[in-house]
Amino acid sequence: MPWALALLLAIPLQALAADPLPSWNDGPVKQSVIDFVTRATTEGGPGYIPPEERIATFDNDGTLWQEQPVVQGAFLLEQAKAAVKEDASLAKRQPFKAVLEGDVALLSSMEEPQLMELFAATYAGKTPDELTREARAFFQTARHPKLGVPYTQLAYAPMLELLQYLRAHGFQTWISSGGGTDFMRVVSEDTYGIPPQQVIGSDLKEKFDEGNGHPVLRREARLDHLNDKAGKPVGIEQHIGRRPVFAAGNVRSGGDIQMLQYTKEQPRPGFSLLINHDDAEREFAYQEKNGASLKAAREGGWTVVSMRQDWKRIFPEEGR
Amino acid sequence: MPWALALLLAIPLQALAADPLPSWNDGPVKQSVIDFVTRATTEGGPGYIPPEERIATFDNDGTLWQEQPVVQGAFLLEQAKAAVKEDASLAKRQPFKAVLEGDVALLSSMEEPQLMELFAATYAGKTPDELTREARAFFQTARHPKLGVPYTQLAYAPMLELLQYLRAHGFQTWISSGGGTDFMRVVSEDTYGIPPQQVIGSDLKEKFDEGNGHPVLRREARLDHLNDKAGKPVGIEQHIGRRPVFAAGNVRSGGDIQMLQYTKEQPRPGFSLLINHDDAEREFAYQEKNGASLKAAREGGWTVVSMRQDWKRIFPEEGR
C-alpha cells in the first residue's frame, strides 16, 4: 500500500525538500552531494542505486565530531588516572607514564595504534557492561577543555543533516572509525541516530568466560582489529558485506584514504567526501604532515569540504 | 502518526493472528515461543523488551536448513574438484586428497575447523566478488544428493515462519553460524529475509589490495574468526554489540551451546531454542557423540524442539 507509506514519509520529506542541508553554504560541494543523492534515487536514471546497496560509511573523529582532543583519548586519560589512583606503581609504567605526563596534548597527537595500546592496558579483563557503564559516566561529566560543553554536543551540524538526508533517501548510515567500537556504541544512537550494530571500529580480542553458569565476555589486552587505513575496507566487508557507495573522512592522519578510494573506485563510481579542517576561527585548523589525503582526493576526484567555506555553522548550538 | 503505521502493519498482523506458526504442531514448545513473544511485546508487562533490544540470533546448518550434507561442504567439494582439474598435482596434497577420497560423506562429518581449513585452501587470493559469483553458480546448479532439489529449498518451513513471526513483532533476526560469512550472505536475503549485514559467520583474514588504483579485498589462507562454540558470543558482540534475547541452535556438534547459554543466562532471561534431529522419516535422525547440547538444555531450561513431534511439516514443499 504505497499511499500509506507515502503518507508516513510525507512530513520529513516535505520539511527537507526546501533545503535538505541548511547548515551547508550553497556552492559546488553542497550541490554535488545533492546531485549524487538525486541520481542515486532516480529510478530508471543512469546513476540509480537500488535501496539495499545504498550503504554510506562515515569516519567518526574529525568527520562526525571534533577531534581536538580525540574524545576517546580524553576518556583513556581519565581511565589511566583512575587506574593509577588504585595502584600508584602504574604511574611509573608505560603506557601510563607517557600519558599522565603528556596529558591531553599527547593523546591528541597519538596515532590510532598507540591509542589502542593504551586502550588495551586500561580495558583488559572488563566486560561489555562494565565498559559501557564507564564510558557513560565519562560522557555525563566530561567537558571539552576549550569549548566547555559535553563532547556529544560537538558533533558537526552539517554532518548530522547529511546523515539524516541520506537516511531519508533510503541510505543505511554506518560509522567506520579507528576508535574503539565499544566506546562509540555508547553514544552513536543518541548522537547520530546510528544504532550500535552499525558501528565498526577497532577492537580488542574478546574471550568467552563461562562465569559459573553466568557467562560473560571479557576483553583481552590484545588487538583484534585495527580499523584504520587499510583496515577500514576490511572492517566494512566484515560487517556489511557490501562496498559503500558513499563515504566520508577527514584530513589529519591519512586514516581514511583507503576507505575513500575503495568507495570511489568501483564498477559503479561512488561518492567520496573529504573534510578539510581549515577553520581556525570556528573550530580548529590543522593539517596532515605529508598532505596525503588531499593529494589522494585530487587524484581520485573526491569532493573536498572546506569547513571555512562550505559550512554555514559548525556545531548545532551556534555562536561558534 | 500511529494510525498510518497501524494501517501499514494491519495486513500482515491480521494474517498471522489466526496462527502465526502454522507448520508447528500445537503443544508446549509452540506455546512457549508464542508466550515469550507476547510477553516481550506487552508494554508495561514484566517480560517487556524494548524494540532496540529485540535481537534474535540463529545458527544456520541444522537450525535454519538441513545439514546432511553440510551445504558449504558440498560447495567446497565442487571447488576442490575444480581446483584439481586446473592442477592435477593438488589431488595428492592435503586437504584436497582427503576431501576427494572421502567425498560428501567425509565433508558432513567434518567439524567446523577442518571445513575452514579446506575453505582457506580453496579461497585464498579471491575477492568478495569472485567468491560471490562462484557461490551463486553453485546454488544454481547443485542439488541435494538424496532429496534432489536445490539446497535453498531445504530451509525448514517452521523456522521460516518463526523468523517472520519474530520480525513482525519488531525482532531483528541475525544468523550466527560456523559457516563462512561470504557463502551464507549469497543466499541469506532470498532464503531467510536476512540481509548480508546481519550474517555472522567464520571468516578468513582479508587484505586490502591497492590494485593499481582499482582497490579490492582478497581473502588470505589464514583464519580470522571461527564462529563456533565460544566464538559465537564473541562474533555476536562484535557485530551487534548487544546480548540476544532469543537464540536458536541444534544438536550435532555442540557448536551452539555457548550462544544458547549466553542468551538464556543474563539479568533478563532470554529464550533459548535447541532443535533435536529425531525425524528419520521426514528428514534425518542424528545424535551428538557426548549428548552435551541436550544436557546443557536440561540444565539451562532451554526449549527443545523435537522435529518429529513439534513440526507439522519440515520443508516448504510438502510431501517430505
Side-chain angles (χ1 to χ4, degrees):
Chain A
M1 60 195 74
W3 68 267
L5 190 67
L7 203 70
L8 256 181
L9 295 175
I11 290 182
L13 281 183
Q14 272 168 10
L16 285 168
D19 182 356
L21 301 171
S23 296
W24 294 66
N25 286 319
D26 290 332
V29 168
K30 176 174 179 170
Q31 199 53 50
S32 69
V33 172
I34 293 174
D35 287 349
F36 174 78
V37 171
T38 305
R39 279 195 309 274
T41 52
T42 303
E43 264 186 89
Y48 179 70
I49 302 174
E52 68 273 19
E53 295 180 28
R54 292 182 202 156
I55 303 289
T57 58
F58 292 81
D59 172 56
N60 185 33
D61 298 315
T63 296
L64 291 181
W65 68 10
Q66 71 77 38
E67 60 174 350
Q68 299 288 333
V70 171
V71 183
Q72 193 173 4
F75 171 62
L76 290 174
L77 178 63
E78 279 210 1
Q79 295 285 100
K81 283 179 179 166
V84 167
K85 223 178 212 170
E86 291 278 303
D87 175 1
S89 74
L90 286 178
K92 289 173 205 144
R93 295 219 315 257
Q94 296 297 7
F96 296 98
K97 188 167 179 288
V99 168
L100 294 172
E101 286 169 359
D103 214 73
V104 177
L106 174 78
L107 282 165
S108 287
S109 68
M110 271 172 133
E111 301 272 316
E112 300 294 353
Q114 295 166 289
L115 270 175
M116 288 308 292
E117 195 188 313
L118 182 61
F119 192 33
T122 53
Y123 267 31
K126 293 189 180 165
T127 68
D129 282 354
E130 287 164 353
L131 298 176
T132 300
R133 255 197 315 276
E134 292 173 4
R136 282 220 178 102
F138 167 81
F139 280 110
Q140 267 163 20
T141 58
R143 296 292 177 270
H144 188 282
K146 281 195 190 146
L147 306 173
V149 298
Y151 286 105
T152 48
Q153 290 180 22
L154 297 171
Y156 301 131
M159 296 306 281
L160 296 177
E161 290 168 7
L162 178 56
L163 289 169
Q164 190 87 0
Y165 175 54
L166 288 169
R167 286 194 293 259
H169 288 80
F171 285 78
Q172 268 185 47
T173 54
W174 291 69
I175 288 176
S176 172
S177 160
T181 311
D182 303 309
F183 183 72
M184 294 185 286
R185 279 175 171 167
V186 168
V187 292
S188 64
E189 178 95 59
D190 288 349
T191 309
Y192 308 124
I194 295 179
Q197 64 269 28
Q198 286 174 213
V199 175
I200 309 168
S202 297
D203 285 310
L204 301 177
K205 286 229 180 264
E206 206 160 30
K207 215 181 144 77
F208 182 73
D209 175 347
E210 307 249 344
N212 274 325
H214 301 288
V216 289
L217 296 169
R218 292 188 189 283
R219 291 288 175 190
E220 299 182 86
R222 292 185 298 144
L223 192 65
D224 183 33
H225 173 65
L226 183 66
N227 199 60
D228 194 38
K229 300 192 167 73
K232 287 203 177 190
V234 170
I236 286 168
E237 174 63 23
Q238 224 170 25
H239 284 260
I240 310 177
R242 276 191 176 117
R243 209 186 262 243
V245 294
F246 186 103
N250 70 287
V251 163
R252 177 177 69 103
S253 66
D256 296 317
I257 293 176
Q258 286 84 349
M259 173 170 76
L260 295 169
Q261 283 174 336
Y262 183 66
T263 300
K264 181 77 186 177
E265 298 290 337
Q266 50 178 308
R268 165 196 297 137
F271 191 98
S272 291
L273 192 79
L274 182 75
I275 296 169
N276 196 14
H277 288 268
D278 58 0
D279 194 333
E281 206 179 306
R282 295 183 302 170
E283 202 227 10
F284 310 103
Y286 49 93
Q287 296 176 354
E288 200 167 294
K289 274 179 233 154
N290 56 8
S293 295
L294 285 170
K295 183 162 172 279
R298 276 192 304 273
E299 290 171 0
W302 309 345
T303 301
V304 177
V305 171
S306 158
M307 289 177 74
R308 197 159 37 86
Q309 288 174 24
D310 294 313
W311 285 1
K312 202 172 284 174
R313 56 178 192 158
I314 307 285
F315 299 113
E317 305 282 325
E318 218 12 325
R320 274 173 219 107
Chain B
M1 57 195 76
W3 68 267
L5 191 65
L7 205 69
L8 255 181
L9 295 175
I11 290 185
L13 281 183
Q14 272 168 7
L16 286 167
D19 182 354
L21 301 170
S23 297
W24 295 67
N25 287 318
D26 290 332
V29 168
K30 176 175 179 169
Q31 199 54 50
S32 70
V33 172
I34 293 173
D35 287 349
F36 173 78
V37 171
T38 305
R39 280 196 309 275
T41 52
T42 304
E43 265 185 90
Y48 180 71
I49 302 174
E52 68 273 17
E53 295 180 28
R54 292 182 203 158
I55 303 288
T57 59
F58 291 80
D59 172 55
N60 185 32
D61 298 317
T63 297
L64 291 181
W65 69 8
Q66 71 77 40
E67 59 174 350
Q68 299 288 332
V70 171
V71 184
Q72 193 174 4
F75 171 63
L76 290 175
L77 179 63
E78 280 210 0
Q79 295 285 100
K81 284 179 178 166
V84 167
K85 223 178 210 169
E86 292 276 306
D87 175 2
S89 73
L90 286 177
K92 290 172 205 146
R93 294 220 315 257
Q94 295 297 7
F96 296 98
K97 188 167 179 287
V99 168
L100 293 172
E101 286 168 0
D103 213 75
V104 176
L106 174 80
L107 284 164
S108 288
S109 69
M110 271 173 134
E111 302 271 314
E112 300 294 355
Q114 296 167 287
L115 271 175
M116 289 308 293
E117 195 187 311
L118 182 61
F119 193 33
T122 53
Y123 268 32
K126 295 188 179 166
T127 68
D129 282 354
E130 287 164 351
L131 299 176
T132 299
R133 254 198 314 275
E134 292 173 4
R136 282 221 178 102
F138 167 81
F139 279 110
Q140 267 164 18
T141 58
R143 296 292 176 272
H144 189 281
K146 281 192 190 149
L147 305 173
V149 299
Y151 286 104
T152 48
Q153 289 180 22
L154 296 171
Y156 301 131
M159 296 305 282
L160 296 178
E161 290 168 8
L162 178 55
L163 288 169
Q164 190 88 359
Y165 176 53
L166 288 169
R167 285 194 292 258
H169 288 80
F171 285 77
Q172 268 185 46
T173 53
W174 291 69
I175 288 175
S176 172
S177 161
T181 311
D182 302 310
F183 183 72
M184 294 184 287
R185 280 175 171 167
V186 168
V187 291
S188 64
E189 177 96 59
D190 286 350
T191 309
Y192 307 125
I194 295 178
Q197 63 270 28
Q198 285 172 215
V199 175
I200 310 169
S202 297
D203 285 310
L204 301 177
K205 286 228 181 263
E206 207 160 30
K207 215 180 144 78
F208 182 74
D209 175 348
E210 307 249 345
N212 274 327
H214 300 288
V216 288
L217 296 168
R218 292 187 189 282
R219 291 288 175 191
E220 299 182 85
R222 291 186 298 145
L223 191 65
D224 183 35
H225 173 65
L226 182 66
N227 199 61
D228 194 37
K229 300 193 167 73
K232 287 204 177 191
V234 170
I236 287 168
E237 174 63 23
Q238 223 170 26
H239 284 259
I240 311 177
R242 274 189 177 119
R243 210 186 261 242
V245 295
F246 187 103
N250 70 286
V251 163
R252 178 177 68 105
S253 66
D256 296 318
I257 293 175
Q258 287 84 349
M259 174 172 76
L260 295 169
Q261 283 174 334
Y262 182 69
T263 299
K264 181 78 187 176
E265 298 290 336
Q266 51 178 309
R268 164 198 296 137
F271 191 98
S272 292
L273 193 78
L274 182 75
I275 296 169
N276 195 14
H277 288 266
D278 59 0
D279 193 333
E281 207 180 305
R282 295 184 302 170
E283 202 227 8
F284 310 103
Y286 49 93
Q287 295 175 354
E288 198 168 296
K289 273 178 233 155
N290 56 8
S293 294
L294 285 170
K295 184 164 172 277
R298 277 192 303 274
E299 290 172 1
W302 311 346
T303 300
V304 177
V305 172
S306 158
M307 288 177 73
R308 195 159 40 86
Q309 289 173 25
D310 294 314
W311 286 0
K312 201 172 285 174
R313 55 177 191 159
I314 307 286
F315 300 113
E317 305 283 325
E318 218 10 331
R320 274 171 220 108

